[in-house]
Amino acid sequence: MEVPTGTVELVPDPDHAAGVTLLVNGVPSSYVDLDDPGVLAFEYMQQMALVIDTLRPGTPLDVVHLGAGGCALARALDVLRPGSRQLAVELDTRLPELARLWFGLPRAPALRIRAGDARAELERLGTATTDVVVRDVFAGDRTPAHLTTIEAARAAARVLRPGGVYLVNCADRPPLALARSEAATLGRVFADVVVIAEPALLRGRGYGNLVLAATDDPALLAVAGLARAVRTLPAPARLLRGEEVAAFAAGAPVLHDPVTGDGTRDAAP
């Protein structure tokens, strides 16, 4: 099916009648279990969910999703954290309508969906108004550059409440130059940054997703249970923190918005 930004397709899971994968321009964007909203099939979403678990367990959260897709994570959080209020931002104006039709997404105020550019909509949000910002935006297999810069990280930090967390889905391949620069960039803005990824990816094997989590609360991501939890996922992952993140990001350039002819920085996509 055609949408303003390309095509979308639903692919049934041959092993599970209620499972379906949403493809956007031929790339897997979301996996949804129509019978169980709490199912998160993508490894990076499982990793993000474990980080979110560290925030005020058992209480509702305010969450902003930059990049909606099929809203799989938002759909899961609606049942895992009842009473949460979520906003999903999606560039494609048609895709959210289809996701609501196909997947029975929660309605406002539990889940609002807003069409627009993720960076522009982030900068319109109020200061200290949310607990979690999730960045999961792709054009093909890369995140648009204007969402990876220090200026974008500062925009995310501004809208987070004290003790909130910024979660980044970074897809990269060896030598992980983008992921290293993103870690270095987030380290300039936030008090603590962790990197979560499968060990093979960290050893330079193949293309895959790394989750970067950043917060102003040094204690939030330091809990021993988090590192243990990511190791015991169906696809075991490794959590880098402190000196390990410093070594991972060592020498990587901090990313900035480009400078325009008048000397200002341009946040346009």
Side-chain angles (χ1 to χ4, degrees), residues 66-67 89 91 116-123 135 137 146-147:
L66 304 178
V89 178
L91 182 63
D117 173 74
R119 173 79 177 270
E121 295 302 324
L122 178 66
E123 292 180 345
R135 193 202 78 194
V137 182
H146 71 299
L147 291 168

Side-chain angles (χ1 to χ4, degrees), residues 2 5 9 16 20 27-28 37 45-46 62 66-67 69 127 129-130 135 141 149 161 189 191 209 247 253:
E2 292 188 357
T5 58
E9 180 184 359
H16 181 49
V20 61
V27 178
M45 287 191 183
Q46 296 171 6
D62 291 317
L66 304 178
T127 298
T129 53
T130 194
R135 193 202 78 194
D141 65 352
T149 63
R161 296 188 178 107
V189 177
N209 299 85

Side-chain angles (χ1 to χ4, degrees), residues 40-245:
L40 293 171
F42 288 179
E43 286 85 357
Y44 79 88
M45 287 191 183
Q46 296 171 6
Q47 296 161 10
M48 287 183 170
L50 289 177
V51 174
I52 293 172
D53 281 347
T54 66
L55 274 76
R56 304 198 314 271
T59 64
L61 297 171
D62 291 317
V63 184
V64 173
H65 302 263
L66 304 178
C71 291
L73 183 58
R75 190 169 174 262
L77 290 177
D78 184 64
V79 297
L80 297 173
R81 293 291 187 104
S84 293
R85 295 174 297 179
Q86 302 185 76
L87 168 67
V89 178
E90 174 57 51
L91 182 63
D92 193 296
T93 55
R94 177 65 173 148
L95 183 55
E97 297 175 3
L98 294 172
R100 282 203 186 279
L101 175 66
W102 291 333
F103 306 140
L105 299 179
R107 293 287 179 177
L111 175 61
R112 295 175 293 131
I113 302 178
R114 183 178 299 171
D117 173 74
R119 173 79 177 270
E121 295 302 324
L122 178 66
E123 292 180 345
R124 291 190 180 101
L125 298 177
T127 298
T129 53
T130 194
D131 302 302
V132 183
V133 175
V134 177
R135 193 202 78 194
D136 192 10
V137 182
F138 287 89
D141 65 352
R142 300 284 285 184
T143 298
H146 71 299
L147 291 168
T148 66
T149 63
I150 194 168
E151 291 81 11
R154 287 171 179 156
R158 180 187 61 79
V159 305
L160 286 170
R161 296 188 178 107
V165 66
Y166 182 36
L167 287 166
V168 165
N169 178 17
C170 176
D172 206 359
R173 53 178 51 85
L176 303 180
L178 175 59
R180 297 178 195 277
S181 279
E182 288 227 57
T185 301
L186 293 174
R188 293 287 187 91
V189 177
F190 293 90
D192 194 23
V193 177
V194 302
V195 177
I196 304 172
E198 294 184 26
L201 184 59
L202 293 172
R203 290 195 297 267
R205 299 180 185 174
Y207 170 87
N209 299 85
L210 302 91
V211 168
L212 284 69
T215 180
D216 67 349
D217 179 2
L220 181 67
L221 304 175
V223 292
L226 178 58
R228 183 169 58 252
V230 301
R231 289 196 303 269
T232 57
L233 286 170
R238 183 180 169 198
L239 184 146
L240 307 182
R241 188 173 180 272
E243 293 182 359
E244 290 179 312
V245 173

